[in-house]
Amino acid sequence: MLHTPLPTSLQATATTSKEKKKLYSLLVTSIVFLIFIFFVSSSSSGSSSSSSLHYHKKHRLILGVRNQADPNSVSPSLPSIAYFITGCDGDSNRLLRLLFSLYHPNNQYLLHLDLTASQSQRDQLALTIQSIPVFRDFQNVNVIGKADFAYLQGSSAIASTLHGASILLRLSMHWDWFINLSAADYPLVTQDDLLHILSFLPKDLNFVNHTNYIGWRESFRMKPIIVDPGLYISEKSYVFYATQKRELPNAYRLFTGLSSAVLSRKFVEFCVFGSDNLPRILLMYFSNMPSSQTNYFQTALCNSREFNKTVVNHNLQYLSWDDPPKQKPRTLGSSDFDDMIKSGAAFGTPFPLDDPVLDRIDKEVLNRGTGRIVPGGWCLGEADDDPCSVWGDGNALWPGKGSRRLEKRLVELLSKEVFHSHQCIIE
């Protein structure tokens, strides 16, 4: 049931079954559940809600029209981003801080505390968001009330992400890109910087790290067979590994990369609504593969004739791999600050909880005060006070140095030599 004013408590479907089943039954159950999630998601229909006037009695001035492009303007129309932000037990404050650093009235935000967190944490998060006037008045921040398990080492993370994407498609028809982030991520540019640069790009581009080089992953992540309990058990459990292994498919090529991505709305609809058999086939295959979320979107994009020319081989994130064997990114700290900023990336990951480098990013990059939203062109308050306590036109942008860094990086990625030579290469 959707509750207004914000945040909305959205109900997620959970499938339960007995834990003690034979391996064959578990495999079938997980596949059927993924297909069920797929069809439930595809039944979501788009809806929109916008208001041209926003007023709250505690604020002095509210004016402006949002989500409406001026037909006589020579400037490109302002895009909108749908953020799916996930966390686990104890991550409420991290999600709020990330939300404050990412907020813009033209975007959509869906927050998900998975089932490792208690229901009281989700309820408190929802109440906190509802108590913030700007979130309540713009009505673009929502919280999933009944959560999913999302095991990163299984396929339930894909089900959770697709579920979140389907909810965002239902909440608004006006967003252009979908970005999935975790509580350990943080922006390196303001939303005004990001939206300004994205307004000049084709809205069918997909920013996804991908490679066809499987290497060591073939033995450890591609051929093993698992059963993810997050698909069918409502209590925390462990991923089950089968003793058998399977051969790689020959009907399509497997691609791998990073779990976070910047996906076009058109591609998200392709995955959620199932206009083609490919997303369904891949869901069935990846339902029993370890770390499936690092493979699903990459494989779907690069095996689709409709989308394989829209891929930019970068997810706009900065990360630094650990020393050999370089199988996972290391946590970022103050010593990484200069390299992060110079990289021109839009986000960095992963950051430790409340690390001092986040305070430095707030101060020197985002101009964000403690417990406040990053100010942008839509904020009309006094600089000494909270600038976003008074707001105006959501289409007004105030891009800064971050937009120039991001522009430089995208020019490199979209240059003819790099763009086409790094697209879905089969090695």
Side-chain angles (χ1 to χ4, degrees):
M1 179 181 294
L2 300 181
H3 302 276
T4 57
L6 287 182
T8 301
S9 292
L10 298 167
Q11 301 301 318
T13 302
T15 300
T16 60
S17 66
K18 295 180 180 179
E19 295 187 36
K20 295 182 178 180
K21 291 185 176 182
K22 294 182 179 180
L23 177 60
Y24 177 79
S25 298
L26 293 177
L27 294 176
V28 172
T29 301
S30 58
I31 292 175
V32 170
F33 186 86
L34 268 180
I35 297 174
F36 175 72
I37 284 291
F38 182 89
F39 281 106
V40 169
S41 299
S42 66
S43 65
S44 301
S45 58
S47 63
S48 64
S49 61
S50 62
S51 175
S52 62
L53 183 66
H54 301 274
Y55 174 74
H56 191 275
K57 62 183 180 181
K58 294 183 179 180
H59 303 290
R60 295 182 289 106
L61 174 67
I62 312 296
L63 49 86
V65 177
R66 66 186 183 94
N67 284 334
Q68 293 183 10
D70 181 1
N72 297 319
S73 174
V74 295
S75 301
S77 61
L78 186 66
S80 174
I81 300 171
Y83 284 99
F84 181 54
I85 306 173
T86 61
C88 54
D89 184 27
D91 277 341
S92 294
N93 289 335
R94 298 180 81 179
L95 292 188
L96 284 171
R97 180 172 186 168
L98 182 55
L99 175 63
F100 287 171
S101 68
L102 290 170
Y103 187 76
H104 191 280
N106 276 7
N107 293 336
Q108 291 289 327
Y109 301 87
L110 182 62
L111 277 56
H112 176 227
L113 276 174
D114 70 20
L115 278 176
T116 60
S118 64
Q119 187 60 40
S120 62
Q121 292 182 52
R122 279 182 287 279
D123 294 341
Q124 185 58 50
L125 177 62
L127 290 172
T128 301
I129 290 175
Q130 186 175 2
S131 69
I132 300 172
V134 66
F135 298 160
R136 185 168 63 245
D137 285 1
F138 279 105
Q139 301 188 34
N140 61 343
V141 181
N142 293 273
V143 175
I144 293 183
K146 190 173 182 181
D148 307 309
F149 273 120
Y151 292 98
L152 295 180
Q153 67 271 38
S155 56
S156 53
I158 296 177
S160 177
T161 301
L162 290 175
H163 184 206
S166 70
I167 293 172
L168 286 161
L169 287 171
R170 186 177 62 196
L171 286 171
S172 173
M173 297 181 357
H174 300 295
W175 57 263
D176 304 290
W177 276 284
F178 170 86
I179 301 178
N180 59 314
L181 297 176
S182 74
D185 301 335
Y186 212 69
L188 302 178
V189 298
T190 68
Q191 288 303 286
D192 278 21
D193 293 332
L194 181 57
L195 292 173
H196 172 67
I197 296 302
L198 290 180
S199 68
F200 292 93
L201 298 181
K203 290 182 172 59
D204 62 347
L205 289 180
N206 294 278
F207 298 86
V208 181
N209 285 83
H210 65 278
T211 178
N212 183 245
Y213 176 71
I214 304 301
W216 59 270
R217 299 176 186 86
E218 179 174 335
S219 297
F220 294 98
R221 292 187 180 178
M222 300 296 181
K223 290 186 174 182
I225 301 173
I226 67 165
V227 176
D228 187 337
L231 296 176
Y232 63 92
I233 297 177
S234 60
E235 297 179 357
K236 187 175 181 179
S237 183
Y238 297 97
V239 171
F240 301 96
Y241 278 80
T243 57
Q244 302 91 340
K245 291 190 176 183
R246 59 182 172 183
E247 296 301 317
L248 300 183
N250 54 24
Y252 46 85
R253 294 277 187 170
L254 293 179
F255 286 78
T256 189
L258 300 175
S259 58
S260 181
V262 182
L263 304 174
S264 69
R265 184 186 183 99
K266 188 176 181 180
F267 176 68
V268 171
E269 291 174 340
F270 173 77
C271 292
V272 171
F273 295 152
S275 57
D276 186 281
N277 282 330
L278 179 62
R280 286 195 282 271
I281 294 171
L282 295 181
L283 277 178
M284 289 188 288
Y285 184 81
F286 286 121
S287 64
N288 301 115
M289 177 185 286
S291 304
S292 297
Q293 196 171 12
T294 61
N295 308 313
Y296 176 72
F297 292 123
Q298 290 82 353
T299 302
L301 279 166
C302 287
N303 284 275
S304 168
R305 293 183 179 179
E306 182 179 359
F307 294 102
N308 61 12
K309 299 301 182 184
T310 68
V311 185
V312 181
N313 198 353
H314 198 287
N315 68 346
L316 304 186
Q317 279 194 336
Y318 175 88
L319 53 81
S320 177
W321 293 100
D322 59 359
D323 292 331
K326 295 187 176 183
Q327 294 184 8
K328 62 180 181 178
R330 63 177 181 82
T331 55
L332 301 175
S334 297
S335 61
D336 300 294
F337 180 83
D338 291 336
D339 289 338
M340 283 190 292
I341 303 306
K342 291 178 183 178
S343 71
F347 310 95
T349 191
F351 292 98
L353 173 65
D354 293 332
D355 193 88
V357 71
L358 299 178
D359 297 329
R360 187 177 178 186
I361 293 172
D362 282 340
K363 181 179 180 180
E364 299 182 26
V365 179
L366 303 179
N367 193 29
R368 189 184 82 89
T370 302
R372 295 179 177 177
I373 294 169
V374 174
W378 60 279
C379 300
L380 302 178
E382 299 293 336
D384 295 337
D385 195 7
D386 182 0
C388 298
S389 64
V390 182
W391 55 85
D393 188 354
N395 288 318
L397 296 181
W398 187 16
K401 295 181 180 178
S403 66
R404 293 191 286 273
R405 295 193 300 268
L406 181 58
E407 176 187 12
K408 181 180 178 181
R409 184 70 181 112
L410 285 173
V411 167
E412 295 172 356
L413 292 172
L414 296 175
S415 66
K416 185 176 180 181
E417 294 77 10
V418 175
F419 181 55
H420 292 293
S421 63
H422 288 72
Q423 277 186 326
C424 300
I425 301 300
I426 298 177
E427 299 181 3

